Amino acid sequence: MTESGALPLYTAAGVRELDRLAIEGEGIAGYTLMCRAGQALFNSIATNWPACTQINILCGAGNNGGDGYVLARLLREAERAVSVQYLGDPGLLKGDAAKAFTDFTAAGGEATAFEGELIAASLHVDAMLGTGLTRVVEGRWRQAIEVLNARSAPVLAVDIPSGLDADSGDICGIAVRAQRTLTFIGRKRGLYTARGVDCTGAVDFSDLDVPAAVYERQPAHACLLQQPPLGPLALPRARSSHKGDFGYVLVVGGGAGMPGAPRLAAEAAARCGAGLVSVATHRDNANGLNAGRWEFMVRAVMHTDELAPLLQHASVVVIGPGLGQSPWSRQLLERVLETALPLVLDADALNLLARDPLKRDNWILTPHPGEAARLLGSSTKAIQQDRFSALESLRAKYGGTIVLKGAGTLIGDGGLPAICAAGNPGMASGGMGDVLSGVIGALLAQGLMAGDAARAAVCLHAQAADRAAAAGGERGLLAGDLMPLLREGLNGRT
């Protein structure tokens, strides 16, 4: 099952099983599915590039290439100018792909071999490599992708950009950078995270009229969040509500000279509905940390006994923003870990945890890839090569709920992994993670379960950033720009 309003995502093997169930279980011929794919591609071109004067299709040696040959035949029938270049010898095609080529040539179509140069076109269609890719792209295939990426004409990718790993979103040496991808039967999870988001452009989906019964027999492997799953927080508050009904978030952070990070986390918690918010910080930061934002309280804490009374009143603790890794930092983290309170760990709290790993059920860890690498004794490159495996490893080692940040943020709590569809490169700026930790803390304090709070917070945060970028551009987007937009999103005013 997927989250309410979320879209199911599959591995390449899962989509192959959907394909098999449609053919063997529902009696839909494989070539019928291929023709439907070709028609969906034709419709996409008609909708998105109605005025393109020349279409060039690069066809591979498998079913992805077969889809390309069907498209070429349909374009010829519609009297559109189309050319076809092949990278796999058409004489070696088998099954449905061979029939697609035969039908294309029977209709008067001709294909030429790719020999290092592309035929000039106003639109190129990538039908070279599908989801079955298991090795690094080399030889003529690599050359074709290099030439294609160097052209200014837009590219429509068939099912998946060639060279992209359908499961992980990693690039197999090189991958096509498409302006649009039309994917079939099941959405591939690698399209939405890691390097996948750099390659796909806009992603469209066609189920090729596969019956619902097929999807009922094949479980999804992840889900794509479309909206924040706010549950009861989407309902109006009771008229008799008071601040005690909505939790008390304690933010612990801000080593000497680092007041900004805990301030951002605290303001985000307040803007996202927490009834009370306090910050426990180094005494050097205490004066002025909440200047201009008097709604949250600030306490100077130099010793763990000064933290104890704050912990007694808190319902959720967010620890890590600006915390540092000093002896003072370690002592505060150790004291917080002694409590049974729900926790959100971010930034230096994660770096300290990496030194002394601990497993716990009632916390949410929010690492970016570098922090995830330290938590797992790995490398950032390894994390990014397979973010889903990294998510599973983090949960196995540390428990609780994991938010693996980055392009296509992943959320895992033991159920179906979720990917956030929203977000933009403008979020690559200081303080964004601090804001997210405060949002998570606020939603936890208001009663959402950990996994729900993490999923909803990631969506709210990313969607707020998208609205801010739409209004003023991605470059120069600041974490503080999200504050009023978080409030609007939480109240359904998007």
Side-chain angles (χ1 to χ4, degrees), residues 436-475:
L436 177 60
S437 67
V439 179
I440 296 173
L443 301 188
L444 276 176
Q446 292 170 84
L448 290 189
M449 299 297 289
D452 292 333
R455 287 183 283 269
V458 168
C459 279
L460 282 171
H461 182 251
Q463 290 175 352
D466 284 347
R467 292 196 297 278
E474 293 176 357
R475 288 184 175 86

Side-chain angles (χ1 to χ4, degrees), residues 5 40 48 57 76 91 143 179 193 222 249 302 359 390 404 481:
N48 297 296
I57 306 173
R76 280 184 52 82
Q143 185 183 21
Q179 279 64 51
T193 193
V249 175
M302 295 307 297
K359 192 170 186 178
L404 180 55
D481 295 337

Side-chain angles (χ1 to χ4, degrees), residues 130-487:
T131 60
L133 182 65
T134 58
R135 62 182 185 276
V136 173
V137 178
E138 297 175 328
R140 289 189 306 120
W141 303 90
R142 182 181 184 92
Q143 185 183 21
I145 293 174
E146 288 174 342
V147 173
L148 190 60
N149 286 344
R151 290 294 179 95
S152 59
V155 176
L156 171 62
V158 176
D159 201 29
I160 187 170
S162 292
L164 184 67
D165 187 294
D167 292 352
S168 68
D170 193 28
I171 288 176
C172 301
I174 190 172
V176 167
R177 288 178 174 263
Q179 279 64 51
R180 202 165 204 97
T181 298
L182 177 56
T183 197
F184 305 124
I185 298 183
R187 294 174 177 85
K188 291 77 184 169
R189 67 184 195 182
L191 296 174
Y192 301 97
T193 193
R195 303 286 296 281
V197 299
D198 290 328
C199 298
T200 59
V203 180
D204 299 318
F205 172 68
S206 174
D207 63 10
L208 305 186
D209 294 328
V210 169
V214 169
Y215 297 96
E216 293 170 0
R217 295 170 61 188
Q218 175 60 30
H221 300 98
C223 66
L224 185 68
L225 299 174
Q226 299 291 286
Q227 296 295 330
L230 292 170
L233 298 191
L235 302 174
R237 287 181 169 181
R239 297 280 290 173
S240 59
S241 298
H242 59 84
K243 62 187 177 184
D245 293 332
F246 306 114
Y248 187 160
V249 175
L250 173 62
V251 178
V252 180
M258 299 184 67
R263 179 193 167 104
L264 287 168
E267 185 171 352
R271 283 294 186 189
C272 286
L276 289 167
V277 180
S278 288
V279 177
T281 190
H282 194 280
R283 64 187 173 200
D284 290 358
N285 302 327
N287 291 331
L289 188 146
N290 62 343
R293 184 53 67 223
W294 310 110
E295 294 86 353
F296 59 83
M297 300 162 282
V298 180
R299 302 292 178 87
V301 173
M302 295 307 297
H303 304 287
T304 56
D305 55 357
E306 297 172 315
L307 190 59
L310 299 176
L311 292 170
Q312 289 176 358
H313 293 96
S315 48
V316 174
V317 180
V318 176
I319 182 166
L323 184 66
Q325 300 182 51
S326 68
W328 172 83
S329 312
R330 290 194 295 273
Q331 290 169 12
L332 292 189
L333 178 60
E334 289 170 1
R335 179 65 184 88
V336 167
L337 291 176
E338 291 173 1
T339 76
L341 292 169
L343 307 178
V344 180
L345 270 65
D346 185 34
D348 280 320
L350 298 171
N351 293 325
L352 292 171
L353 180 64
R355 300 180 187 178
D356 297 296
L358 175 68
K359 192 170 186 178
R360 180 172 173 145
D361 291 331
N362 68 333
W363 63 10
I364 300 175
L365 309 185
T366 64
H368 59 54
E371 291 160 346
R374 289 187 281 278
L375 287 166
L376 293 176
S378 182
S379 67
T380 301
K381 181 179 179 181
I383 297 296
Q384 291 295 82
Q385 283 178 334
D386 194 340
R387 287 166 56 81
F388 288 95
S389 291
L391 187 74
E392 293 176 5
S393 297
L394 287 164
R395 280 212 75 256
K397 186 172 182 179
Y398 294 97
T401 298
I402 307 296
V403 175
L404 180 55
K405 296 183 291 195
T409 291
L410 304 184
I411 305 101
D413 64 350
L416 200 63
I419 302 179
C420 178
N424 66 81
M427 299 173 75
S429 63
M432 284 289 177
D434 304 314
V435 171
L436 177 60
S437 67
V439 179
I440 296 173
L443 301 188
L444 276 176
Q446 292 170 84
L448 290 189
M449 299 297 289
D452 292 333
R455 287 183 283 269
V458 168
C459 279
L460 282 171
H461 182 251
Q463 290 175 352
D466 284 347
R467 292 196 297 278
E474 293 176 357
R475 288 184 175 86
L477 179 62
L478 300 180
D481 295 337
L482 273 57
M483 298 302 177
L485 300 170
L486 287 167
R487 181 186 176 197

